[in-house]
Amino acid sequence: MSTSIDRSATQASENVWEMAKHQLDEVAQLIGLSDAIHLYLRQPKRVLEVSVPVRMDDGRFRMFTGYRVQHNMSRGPAKGGIRFHPDVTLDEIKALAMWMTWKCALVNIPFGGAKGGVICDPKAMSMQELEHLTRRFTSEISIIIGPEKDIPAPDVYTTPQIMAWIMDTYSMQVGYSVPGVVTGKPIAIGGSLGRDKATARGCLYVVDEAMDVLGIPIEGARVAVQGFGNAGMHAATLMAERGYKIVAVSDSRGGVANSKGLDARGLLVHKLQTGSVVGFAGGEKITNKDLLEYECDVLVPAALEKVITRDNAPKIQAKIVAEAANGPTLPEADAILHERGVMVLPDILANAGGVTVSYFEWVQDIGENFWEEDEINARLKQKMTRAFRETYEHAQRHNVNMRGGAYAVAVSRVAEATKLRGLYP
Ligand code: GLU
């Protein structure tokens, strides 16, 4: 068997799958990973591409393409969200699946990594069309998902209602209710308290830790949030409640800023009423580009991949970048920020609160025993704080940035499990 690794394609590039492999290659060297394990972890375990036929409301027939990628299951069932977005590609889903493996290992929950996606524009679809799409996609991937195999969850533009349809479709196929097949469900059918805000709450906990380490007072610290979906909107409100000052926010349509502070609650209401933060009174209009370079202490990219590049990294003014989104920082930008002394809390740490409470949801479903919200938040805090400290310690020990520290912890855990289980047959 060849164990040589072709690094020629691993130059920091604009392809997220190359970026994910590049990040693994860097840590492999750092922790002295064997070539065999490195090669093993560099590829997804399984890739499923499905065609999803849907009858649209006007009677037309359309064919969508979807994917489910399982990167690794050495530490337990595969876990990861499903996104509905026009720009979904197989390479993107492969990268996101690999990141889920590291994320679950970093917060030390017994899951591997997976991700799914359907190429579609959910904003241009009716509820009925979305339901048909979701149900047929679930049916197509049902051959590889299940509470002991692979457990989907929400991601970009997917909601608790969509998770309810996934749970129902799977349950109808097997003939009984299986709440543990998917997380991020509505509470009424086995969802967990606190899951809706978990990504944001986890992000808040690690930002608090970083502020402490850097000696920056929380009260009045200025925060800019890019993306006002599930992660971004809750991050803004929770951080405002904690004493941070939200100075700029944006979504796919544009943004709004005020160096004296924006009313986070009012923003949430405006977003829910109008579908965007644009037009919110109390601030000046800004673009997404302006937002990333806005004067602040904490920048929270909470939208999509590849927004922090070598062009804007030198202009970022924040002292902390908390990656609520997956993959927002390109490797060359990461290096620039590190050199400039900006602490980047990597995605696999900063947004791991979502999958952590997904794990709690799955445990509650399997055990048919549900917990109070206080208990869930306390357990989340414990997991996030521990992951931050381990990341920080490893970053110091290896003299690398926080991503390097987080990867050192996570990849070592997955490598150990992979080695212990050995090669089948
Ligand atoms: N989509 C979220 C993530 O990227 C949550 C995944 C989950 O809960 O399984 O981490």
Side-chain angles (χ1 to χ4, degrees):
M1 184 184 79
S2 160
T3 54
S4 68
I5 287 149
D6 173 18
R7 291 197 174 83
S8 57
T10 63
Q11 302 311 314
S13 94
E14 296 255 329
N15 176 310
V16 278
W17 175 230
E18 295 305 328
M19 171 172 151
K21 288 189 290 186
H22 172 89
Q23 292 165 340
L24 173 64
D25 294 345
E26 284 205 330
V27 77
Q29 235 167 352
L30 188 72
I31 62 174
L33 202 62
S34 76
D35 272 359
I37 301 268
H38 184 186
L39 202 60
Y40 188 98
L41 296 177
R42 221 170 171 269
Q43 291 298 332
K45 176 183 173 68
R46 278 188 198 122
V47 174
L48 178 64
E49 174 176 330
V50 296
S51 299
V52 189
V54 177
R55 176 86 52 206
M56 307 302 277
D57 292 349
D58 62 5
R60 271 184 316 134
F61 168 91
R62 274 191 65 185
M63 189 66 102
F64 295 88
T65 301
Y67 307 101
R68 184 73 186 169
V69 174
Q70 297 171 337
H71 172 257
N72 187 281
M73 299 190 187
S74 297
R75 303 178 68 257
K79 185 86 189 78
I82 290 174
R83 64 173 56 180
F84 286 178
H85 195 277
D87 300 336
V88 162
T89 63
L90 176 56
D91 269 359
E92 179 195 36
I93 302 300
K94 279 159 74 173
L96 290 159
M98 184 189 264
W99 289 333
M100 285 309 304
T101 302
W102 313 142
K103 197 184 297 184
C104 293
L106 180 61
V107 285
N108 217 351
I109 55 179
F111 286 142
K115 201 79 173 200
V118 179
I119 308 168
C120 65
D121 181 4
K123 289 185 182 170
M125 293 170 73
S126 70
M127 280 295 268
Q128 184 166 276
E129 289 168 342
L130 272 178
E131 179 173 354
H132 290 326
L133 176 81
T134 302
R135 286 187 181 277
R136 184 59 186 254
F137 176 64
T138 305
S139 170
E140 294 299 336
I141 64 166
S142 66
I143 52 172
I144 60 167
I145 64 168
E148 288 146 349
K149 299 198 275 186
D150 178 1
I151 305 124
D155 197 75
V156 173
Y157 295 152
T158 52
T159 60
Q161 175 61 73
I162 290 174
M163 300 307 115
W165 293 327
I166 293 175
M167 182 270 207
D168 185 68
T169 304
Y170 185 88
S171 299
M172 286 297 135
Q173 285 194 348
V174 295
Y176 50 89
S177 294
V178 188
V181 67
V182 65
T183 59
K185 299 177 296 294
I187 307 293
I189 54 167
S192 177
L193 293 169
R195 176 62 186 84
D196 53 348
K197 294 186 184 154
T199 309
R201 194 176 289 281
C203 186
L204 167 69
Y205 292 149
V206 292
V207 171
D208 279 357
E209 292 293 318
M211 297 288 280
D212 186 41
V213 162
L214 297 177
I216 311 170
I218 289 173
E219 198 59 44
R222 299 155 305 169
V223 180
V225 183
Q226 187 207 34
F228 220 65
N230 177 268
M233 73 166 75
H234 293 311
T237 44
L238 288 175
M239 291 181 89
E241 279 167 26
R242 179 88 174 87
Y244 292 86
K245 185 164 77 179
I246 309 302
V247 291
V249 299
S250 69
D251 58 31
S252 60
R253 296 190 212 162
V256 54
N258 184 342
S259 57
K260 297 200 182 74
L262 294 159
D263 168 22
R265 279 261 143 231
L267 266 168
L268 189 67
V269 173
H270 185 82
K271 170 83 181 181
L272 296 176
Q273 280 172 355
T274 68
S276 176
V277 296
V278 174
F280 179 67
E284 45 163 349
K285 204 171 164 210
I286 56 161
T287 64
N288 262 293
K289 182 176 175 297
D290 301 333
L291 182 127
L292 296 168
E293 297 163 17
Y294 199 79
E295 197 176 340
C296 62
D297 301 295
V298 184
L299 173 64
V300 184
L304 291 168
E305 301 96 15
K306 303 187 295 192
V307 296
I308 304 180
T309 64
R310 80 154 76 86
D311 297 331
N312 60 12
K315 300 181 208 149
I316 282 175
Q317 307 198 44
K319 300 179 189 79
I320 296 170
V321 175
E323 296 184 336
N326 289 308
T329 312
L330 286 170
E332 63 259 34
D334 228 5
I336 296 169
L337 292 173
H338 185 50
E339 244 167 60
R340 295 185 51 225
V342 180
M343 185 188 264
V344 178
L345 303 176
D347 44 10
I348 63 168
L349 173 66
N351 70 35
V355 75
T356 300
V357 177
S358 273
Y359 166 59
F360 298 158
E361 178 173 335
W362 179 79
V363 168
Q364 292 171 82
D365 288 340
I366 304 273
E368 296 174 331
N369 176 11
F370 289 84
W371 313 341
E372 297 300 332
E373 188 160 358
D374 287 353
E375 185 181 348
I376 289 160
N377 292 342
R379 284 180 189 248
L380 173 64
K381 186 167 190 178
Q382 200 180 27
K383 287 239 169 246
M384 296 304 299
T385 311
R386 178 170 302 170
F388 177 91
R389 299 216 171 119
E390 286 173 335
T391 295
Y392 187 67
E393 264 169 40
H394 279 73
Q396 301 282 98
R397 189 184 308 164
H398 294 290
N399 194 23
V400 290
N401 62 9
M402 291 290 277
R403 195 181 316 278
Y407 268 65
V409 176
V411 176
S412 301
R413 279 188 187 140
V414 179
E416 187 190 359
T418 307
K419 210 152 88 194
L420 282 168
R421 289 181 59 162
L423 193 59
Y424 174 88

